[in-house]
Amino acid sequence: MTNHWIDLRNTDCALILGSNAAENHPISFKWLTHARENRGAKIIHVDPRFTRTSAKADIYAPLRSGTDIAFVGGMINYILENDLYFKDYVVNYTNAAYIVDDGFDFKDGLFSGYDAEKKKYNQDTWVYKTGPDGKPLKDMTLQHPRCVFQLLKKHYARYDVDTVVKVTGTPKDKYLEICKTYAATGRPDKAGTIMYAMGTTQHTVGSQNVRIYAILQLLLGNIGIPGGGVQALRGESNVQGSTDYGLLFHILPGYIATPSASPEHATLKAFLEKETPKAGFKVNTPKWVVSYLKAMWGPAATPANEFAYHYLPKRDPDKNYSHIALFEAMYRGEIKGAMLWGQNPVVGGPNSSREKEALKRLDWMVAVDLFPTETMHFWTREAGEDPAAIKTEVFVLPACSSYEKEGSIASSGRWIQWRWKATAPVGEAKADLEIMHLLATKLKEAYAGSPRPEDAPIRDLFWDYGHGEEIDIDKVVREINGYDVKTKKQVNNFLDLKDDGTTCCGNWIMSGVYPEEGNLAKRRNTVDKTGIGQFLEWAWAWPLNRRILYNRASADLTGKPWSADKAVIWWDPTAIDPKTGKPGKWVGKDVPDFKATCPPTGSDFPFVGNQPFIMLDDGVAGLFAKKGMKEGPFPEHYEPWESPVKNIINPVQVNPVVKIWNPDEQSVPGRFPYVATTYRVSEHWQTGAMTRNLPWQCELVPEMFVEMSKALADQLGIANGEWVIVENMRGRIKAKAMVTERFQPIEINGKKVHQVGLPWHFGFKGFAKGAIANELTPHIGDGNTMIPEYKAFLVNIRRAK
Ligand SMILES: Nc1nc2c(c(=O)[nH]1)N[C@H]1C(S)=C(S)[C@@H](COP(=O)(O)OP(=O)(O)OC[C@H]3O[C@@H](n4cnc5c(=O)[nH]c(N)nc54)[C@H](O)[C@@H]3O)O[C@H]1N2
Ligand SMILES: Nc1nc2c(c(=O)[nH]1)N[C@H]1C(S)=C(S)[C@@H](COP(=O)(O)OP(=O)(O)OC[C@H]3O[C@@H](n4cnc5c(=O)[nH]c(N)nc54)[C@H](O)[C@@H]3O)O[C@H]1N2
Ligand SMILES: [Mo]
């Protein structure tokens, strides 16, 4: 989230698309209800199916799964055509005025630079045109035909209302009502927020779905203000924290790129040169990287050995190591062993039968979990297997639950909150941290004194957290915050970090959570001194306890809030800065997302006073994404891999950069006419391990179902509650028909299309058993992140007998 949960109460309009927030993130509705009651806020919900979120919305509109870019692209066109954008904001705080390289083009569904063979773009033309001084050319009047604003306008002019509703199936009057209502937040005194989750991301165009929300919000001046922003409603408890700490293969803790085995990353010097931009706050990257290496290898990380940079694993630059890719590698027999730590892919993984097959090809597997899961038992008769025919040796380590251990978690709003242990673990169960500590200690014992260079990263691993078998979590948090290596004094925050090896810091974005005064995640001051619900002394938020990201954008060029109602920080020329003793300072209701003493009209490298987007080298937000996004600088509509219709916006059917792993598993519309999506129910959690072992939850939703409209049920002669078969190229499952009004047939370009929905909470363990929805979902992922396309695929449905 750019903002945070409580801040939803400051919104004038919430556009919820790709999320069933009322059921899956219920706390959001506490604050949206507050906004509606106190400031007349409007709630809009866009979802293929009418849910409890829709029931609480002022406007609900259906769309076909997988068509959000068309939907939002049309809103952008509406805003630009009707001059409803926030002009001062767009001109000054985005790259609207920048002139784009002459070679940049978009034709027949493709941007310039596409290599059809490699399915990859050469992004060299996705840049600005520069003047003789090497600086980008700009036209602040936004009239130049090659400026970002005009190119954006041209790109989305093709997304006229009639075309859009032909793609999405949304009734035209509803669509226009949403355009009008949401565009009204483009005024300086109004804020609109976008709330999204898996309905947005689990698509072959998932990343560009999120990008297009950012463009919409920037046009309306909705970023950096209370009640505005783009809100990623995170899923699993602490999924925010796990990405912050580098769980994903392409990032180290703090969103630093993982090094690859390529010449440009061969040495620390080369890596830092490549990964450090020339302008913007990220010029500090070397301080973060070197301090991280000091946290990893302590005294063994010295200036002479480039701080042990050569110990960091380097990934193959041409390989992908995401979920699908790893399971495909297991399937091919390239991976011999796997540790599955709190995950249950036999139920939750895409094309789960294939993933189960992949597990059979491992020599060993370790599962660390609270409950016996389908994944731990994948080799059993219960799973339909012959145990004698499976070679994989399976080890189970019992883990304890969140109530049985202490630690912090990061919420979607980036708040780091401490949780204390409520009760002792059951049986032999241990906290994950303890299990990790024992493992690390044993590994270090095994490699102690080894002269082999490949053992050095473990031999020299700096593991100073424990007392024998016991780990001291306080020491872990202290290292995450960082300290001065010599004095052992905690640094105040990442502004104190150095690139010479004198500081150590486990994760720069978290630096500031544990200064000398103590662990701020434990703070519990319930007084809100800001009046807008910021609660700055409740816990701690990264970065630097900042609650609204990019908040410099809430003030105009001179540092005055665009409107009193939306004031967060402002420039006070008389306020004295305690550090410098000089007048002039950013003050207000949040920690400035800016240098506190850099005046709005001046500069203080790498800060430029009127450029709020400090993490970008331009200092302004990107309506046009320069190099970076795999499929282009502007989001473009492509159909899901499995779609009932042809793409009518452009001639390219599927996202041109996605990797198609197994072409023969594609389900085609003739045989499999219905659009299927998967979703959650309030009563279950994820793969069900945590709810199907609780009898009272099982009573609430006891069995697998497929939800369909009355029209489809009538057409197929299916009665409510009857068993049906749902099938496609990947699998065939049995489910009970749940016939509802919540799905309605939609019209796509003159063709009637039916959508159905499946929960994915069931499996063969626990008290409530049922078919696994993921036996139907494809092994295909988004072009940038590889998140699986769980939300749009094709199936056929028939009566079970
Ligand atoms: N009770 C409960 N709460 C949970 C969870 C749980 O299992 N149970 N899981 C947690 C986790 S890990 C996560 S990630 C979040 C997920 O939270 P959500 O994303 O809200 O979860 P889903 O129900 O999977 O999907 C949301 C909605 O997306 C809609 N949808 C499907 N395709 C599209 C599309 O193409 N466009 C649009 N606009 N909408 C589409 C679906 O109909 C569904 O209503 O929930 C978290 N909260
Ligand atoms: N079809 C379809 N599939 C999906 C999705 C979808 O929308 N549709 N959503 C996807 C999403 S968003 C997600 S997040 C994934 C989730 O996929 P998984 O992470 O595999 O699902 P969970 O059921 O949350 O599994 C977590 C496991 O962790 C265990 N656990 C709980 N607490 C702890 C702990 O403290 N320590 C340890 N070691 N274990 C613990 C639980 O018992 C459970 O078995 O599924 C994905 N799969
Ligand atoms: Mo999730």
Side-chain angles (χ1 to χ4, degrees), residues 165-217:
V165 299
K166 267 189 206 155
V167 175
T168 65
T170 310
K172 190 172 168 182
D173 56 336
K174 280 279 166 218
Y175 186 69
L176 283 169
E177 192 187 352
I178 290 175
C179 289
K180 191 167 161 220
T181 308
Y182 199 67
T185 67
R187 290 181 16 188
D189 60 341
K190 294 286 176 212
T193 183
I194 293 186
M195 295 159 61
Y196 78 89
M198 295 303 117
T200 295
T201 55
Q202 291 172 345
H203 292 285
T204 36
V205 292
S207 302
Q208 294 282 15
N209 273 340
V210 180
R211 262 281 297 154
I212 204 165
Y213 300 165
I215 295 176
L216 175 63
Q217 289 297 65

Side-chain angles (χ1 to χ4, degrees), residues 305-501:
N305 70 0
E306 288 207 299
F307 303 103
Y309 172 76
H310 60 299
Y311 286 177
L312 265 187
K314 310 288 181 296
R315 65 185 167 93
D316 181 334
D318 297 321
K319 263 198 184 148
N320 187 290
Y321 302 77
S322 65
H323 182 99
I324 293 177
L326 288 176
F327 275 87
E328 287 290 335
M330 269 181 231
Y331 193 89
R332 292 192 304 267
E334 290 168 14
I335 293 178
K336 299 292 173 207
M339 297 200 68
L340 300 178
W341 213 303
Q343 63 164 303
N344 189 10
V346 169
V347 176
N351 197 347
S352 55
S353 324
R354 188 176 175 87
E355 297 202 347
K356 185 165 150 226
E357 205 54 42
L359 296 177
K360 292 186 199 166
R361 303 178 184 193
L362 292 171
D363 292 340
W364 57 267
M365 180 189 106
V366 182
V368 189
D369 208 290
L370 314 184
F371 293 101
T373 66
E374 285 77 4
T375 301
M376 270 177 208
H377 291 249
F378 80 88
W379 49 274
T380 61
R381 293 215 163 72
E382 234 180 330
E385 301 293 340
D386 170 13
I390 296 173
K391 63 165 183 172
T392 319
E393 193 175 0
V394 176
F395 303 87
V396 173
L397 299 178
C400 70
S401 76
S402 54
Y403 310 104
E404 298 165 322
K405 61 191 175 199
E406 103 177 284
S408 71
I409 63 163
S411 72
S412 302
R414 297 165 288 99
W415 293 17
I416 317 302
Q417 302 178 88
W418 201 260
R419 302 199 292 202
W420 287 267
K421 179 168 164 173
T423 180
V426 176
E428 290 181 290
K430 286 196 188 314
D432 294 294
L433 188 65
E434 285 178 88
I435 300 174
M436 191 70 86
H437 177 63
L438 290 173
L439 197 61
T441 313
K442 289 283 173 215
L443 280 169
K444 278 186 71 71
E445 261 172 47
Y447 290 105
S450 164
R452 302 194 317 172
E454 63 268 40
D455 298 344
I458 290 181
R459 185 194 66 208
D460 291 347
L461 189 66
F462 184 50
W463 198 267
D464 181 26
Y465 313 113
H467 314 283
E469 296 217 330
E470 285 203 4
I471 182 148
D472 181 347
I473 195 169
D474 193 64
K475 290 184 109 181
V476 178
V477 195
R478 281 170 165 273
E479 183 186 272
I480 287 167
N481 178 82
Y483 53 83
D484 182 302
V485 172
K486 218 186 248 149
T487 65
K488 296 277 183 281
K489 271 218 160 90
Q490 295 296 102
V491 297
N492 287 315
N493 53 52
F494 53 71
L495 300 173
D496 291 348
L497 298 177
K498 305 260 165 48
D499 61 6
D500 60 3

